[in-house]
Amino acid sequence: MRSALFAATAFFSLALTGQPVLAAEAPYVDDRSDAEAVIRSLYSAINRQEFARAWDYFGDTKPANDFDAFVKGYDGTARVDVKTGGVSEDGAAGSIYYNVPVAIRATAKDGSENVFSGCYTLRQVNASIQEPPFRPIFIDKGALKPSKADFENAVPESCGDGPPPPKKDAALEQAKKVFAATYGEQCDKEMPGGEPLGEPDAYSLRYKDAGAEADAPERETRLFRFFCSMAAYNESAVYYVYDDVSGVRQLQFASPELDIHYENNNSEGKVEAINVIGFQTDDQLVNSEYDDATKTISSHNKWRGVGDASSAGTYLFRHGNFSLVQYDVDASYDGEINPQTVVDYNTAP
């Protein structure tokens, strides 16, 4: 059975064709941390024409009779796009086997495209029983066949004999990757007290575009709130939204730039005036939460622990975006909570 699968894989590799692109333009990915990453690394190597690296992702059974035949199979290939589905796994005899549903789109130098789909099985040998040279996760076998489905829908629902794995939340996974890339070194890696970070809060917001007809279908935006850090009395969070047009993007929150005047220039004294002299954007919100009933994100930044001086913003979701509609400031360190509104787009003039 294994030889048949590899024969299909070898045939597949010889049949690939692609669109003109310089190898150096493709991103370099060499990640063997999990099965899906190995598959993406394989096609990164192919797109960069780094065929020795691509060959090395396979175990003892290779995808072609020899390396020269493997390379020759990509003579007409310039780019291969890849999508993966939910990964399932099985353990046996000191190894873990991963089944990865895969679809690829091969685009020829003449511009023609072909879609293939199927499964790869990858093997991870228990590291504690290995002897040098160490072998990371590798491709054990694979078989892709031509698919009549379009590329976006060609990934098989499952591979192997087990039940289909739960479908991945693609938007959430993309948001997590963007957050990790941007804030992986800035934000806390665990919650206060040492407990591990959980999944980000996730919400689904439905709406219609401005000016849409009454019978127009609703659109959906996903909202993700990531915990970032906690100090003595303030906690910060980062927000991302996802839609089918823009993908994942980070929210930036408008806030007023303030010119605060205190009596006798004493910040502990009476507040004489709070002037808005401009606006800025913040990539994080302090002590924030999302209220699905009002479709608002609110923040409350304590200027000191007792909370008698603070600033608070309210951001309303409408027509696919969050907008600042109210900003309150309590600039007096007087032991009392008495904010005043300095930005108000909630109240009619």
Side-chain angles (χ1 to χ4, degrees), residues 80-218:
V80 181
D81 299 306
V82 60
K83 291 176 68 69
T84 58
V87 179
S88 60
E89 62 181 74
D90 297 294
S95 296
I96 300 175
Y97 290 88
Y98 302 94
N99 298 304
V100 185
V102 172
I104 67 103
R105 176 174 58 203
T107 314
K109 289 180 179 178
D110 63 6
S112 61
E113 295 182 349
N114 292 282
V115 174
F116 299 81
S117 66
C119 298
Y120 281 98
T121 298
L122 292 89
R123 182 181 177 189
Q124 181 179 14
V125 180
N126 189 334
S128 64
I129 65 174
Q130 290 196 48
E131 296 181 356
F134 174 76
R135 188 63 166 142
I137 301 175
F138 60 88
I139 300 172
D140 189 53
K141 60 184 178 181
L144 302 182
K145 297 180 180 180
S147 174
K148 294 181 179 180
D150 61 84
F151 177 55
E152 296 300 322
N153 299 305
V155 178
E157 289 189 5
S158 64
C159 293
D161 298 328
K167 290 187 177 181
K168 281 190 174 182
D169 186 334
L172 172 60
E173 293 302 315
Q174 187 178 347
K176 288 164 66 174
K177 288 181 179 180
V178 174
F179 174 75
T182 307
Y183 293 96
E185 299 302 320
Q186 300 179 38
C187 294
D188 297 343
K189 293 179 172 55
E190 57 185 27
M191 296 292 289
E195 62 268 27
L197 291 175
E199 291 287 283
D201 297 326
Y203 307 91
S204 177
L205 292 73
R206 294 191 172 277
Y207 69 98
K208 290 188 177 182
D209 290 323
E213 299 293 336
D215 58 350
E218 287 187 323

Side-chain angles (χ1 to χ4, degrees), residues 13-296:
S13 67
L14 292 170
L16 289 179
T17 52
Q19 173 180 329
V21 62
L22 293 177
E25 292 178 344
Y28 181 87
V29 180
D30 182 17
D31 184 352
R32 306 189 192 215
S33 59
D34 60 46
E36 183 181 22
V38 173
I39 297 302
R40 295 195 175 277
S41 299
L42 167 68
Y43 287 102
S44 163
I46 290 170
N47 283 332
R48 292 171 62 88
Q49 299 178 23
E50 297 167 354
F51 296 113
R53 180 162 70 91
W55 183 260
D56 189 60
Y57 290 117
F58 291 87
D60 293 336
T61 308
K62 300 298 184 181
N65 291 332
D66 55 52
F67 179 68
D68 289 340
F70 177 68
V71 175
K72 187 174 178 57
Y74 293 98
D75 279 350
T77 303
R79 191 186 75 220
V80 181
D81 299 306
V82 60
K83 291 176 68 69
T84 58
V87 179
S88 60
E89 62 181 74
D90 297 294
S95 296
I96 300 175
Y97 290 88
Y98 302 94
N99 298 304
V100 185
V102 172
I104 67 103
R105 176 174 58 203
T107 314
K109 289 180 179 178
D110 63 6
S112 61
E113 295 182 349
N114 292 282
V115 174
F116 299 81
S117 66
C119 298
Y120 281 98
T121 298
L122 292 89
R123 182 181 177 189
Q124 181 179 14
V125 180
N126 189 334
S128 64
I129 65 174
Q130 290 196 48
E131 296 181 356
F134 174 76
R135 188 63 166 142
I137 301 175
F138 60 88
I139 300 172
D140 189 53
K141 60 184 178 181
L144 302 182
K145 297 180 180 180
S147 174
K148 294 181 179 180
D150 61 84
F151 177 55
E152 296 300 322
N153 299 305
V155 178
E157 289 189 5
S158 64
C159 293
D161 298 328
K167 290 187 177 181
K168 281 190 174 182
D169 186 334
L172 172 60
E173 293 302 315
Q174 187 178 347
K176 288 164 66 174
K177 288 181 179 180
V178 174
F179 174 75
T182 307
Y183 293 96
E185 299 302 320
Q186 300 179 38
C187 294
D188 297 343
K189 293 179 172 55
E190 57 185 27
M191 296 292 289
E195 62 268 27
L197 291 175
E199 291 287 283
D201 297 326
Y203 307 91
S204 177
L205 292 73
R206 294 191 172 277
Y207 69 98
K208 290 188 177 182
D209 290 323
E213 299 293 336
D215 58 350
E218 287 187 323
R219 297 187 59 187
E220 180 186 23
T221 288
R222 301 287 302 286
L223 174 68
F224 303 102
R225 179 189 184 275
F226 289 82
F227 167 83
C228 182
S229 63
M230 178 175 285
Y233 43 83
N234 284 325
E235 172 188 311
S236 68
V238 179
Y239 288 82
Y240 293 88
V241 291
Y242 171 91
D243 61 48
D244 57 2
V245 175
S246 303
V248 169
R249 57 186 173 88
Q250 184 179 353
L251 288 181
Q252 301 288 336
F253 297 93
S255 62
E257 185 179 353
L258 304 175
D259 179 25
I260 304 173
H261 294 270
Y262 293 93
E263 187 176 53
N264 299 322
N265 290 323
N266 178 11
S267 61
E268 298 292 330
K270 180 181 178 181
V271 177
E272 294 183 331
I274 302 176
N275 300 316
V276 176
I277 59 175
F279 284 85
Q280 59 190 19
T281 57
D282 302 316
D283 66 334
Q284 301 179 35
L285 286 184
V286 177
N287 299 329
S288 64
E289 61 181 12
Y290 170 70
D291 183 348
D292 197 42
T294 60
K295 296 293 188 291
T296 57

